[in-house]
Amino acid sequence: PEIAEDFIEAKKIFPFSARSSAALLRLAIQKLCIHLGEKGKDINKDIQELVNKGLPQHIQQALDIVRVIGNESVHPGEINIRDNPEIAKKLFSLVNEIIEDRISKIQKQAEIEKIYHTLPENKLEGIRQRNRNNS
């Protein structure tokens, strides 16, 4: 819920400050890393740990884009959000993709598994047998 709050706040302030939106989205992914079991002290190290645990490359790249652009929005750097607010706008879709992959997809998979295990045991055994025969 607190990640969603940051995302919603970033959306609300985007028309007024793309820089603030980018910074809030960076904060949201830092909180997401904590939610995913990382320490939350150093987002770069958190992303590395997630990669070590099998994070898909496209999600790592999305996290790093939000991390770098979010940092650049509040610290002087090479990316100037004021000159190109469209960059910040794209961060919203990246954060959505990260959430879909790391949270929503996992919840959907858990729901499917829960329903699957309600099938009659003899049907489950038939499925297991089928799968062993096809291996």
Side-chain angles (χ1 to χ4, degrees):
E2 73 178 61
I3 298 168
E5 285 178 27
D6 291 337
F7 186 88
I8 292 165
E9 183 179 348
K11 218 161 99 172
K12 285 180 183 177
I13 65 170
F14 179 79
F16 309 104
S17 175
R19 288 177 61 228
S20 297
S21 285
L24 278 169
L25 291 172
R26 185 216 170 274
L27 177 62
I29 65 159
Q30 185 166 9
K31 290 178 180 178
L32 176 63
C33 287
I34 294 168
H35 178 78
L36 296 174
E38 301 309 321
K39 295 180 179 140
K41 301 287 184 205
D42 181 336
I43 193 169
N44 195 40
K45 287 181 183 174
D46 289 349
I47 293 170
Q48 180 61 55
E49 285 301 314
L50 292 169
V51 167
N52 292 344
K53 294 174 183 173
L55 186 74
Q57 183 179 17
H58 73 285
I59 299 301
Q60 168 263 302
Q61 290 172 344
L63 285 166
D64 279 324
I65 290 167
V66 177
R67 175 183 65 84
V68 169
I69 293 174
N71 281 343
E72 296 273 321
S73 70
V74 292
H75 301 294
E78 297 174 25
I79 302 169
N80 189 341
I81 303 284
R82 285 186 179 132
D83 292 343
N84 189 354
E86 288 302 308
I87 292 172
K89 194 173 192 178
K90 292 180 193 295
L91 298 182
F92 288 97
S93 64
L94 291 176
V95 171
N96 277 330
E97 177 65 26
I98 294 163
I99 297 292
E100 175 65 30
D101 185 81
R102 297 288 91 191
I103 295 178
S104 300
K105 187 168 113 180
I106 291 167
Q107 289 174 343
K108 289 175 191 172
Q109 290 170 342
E111 183 64 22
I112 290 169
E113 190 170 327
K114 181 179 174 184
I115 295 168
Y116 178 79
H117 287 292
T118 66
L119 295 174
E121 183 54 40
N122 64 329
K123 301 297 182 185
L124 290 171
E125 183 54 38
I127 294 167
R128 287 190 287 271
Q129 185 64 37
R130 177 203 63 205
N131 291 346
R132 279 192 292 267
N133 291 337
N134 289 330
S135 309

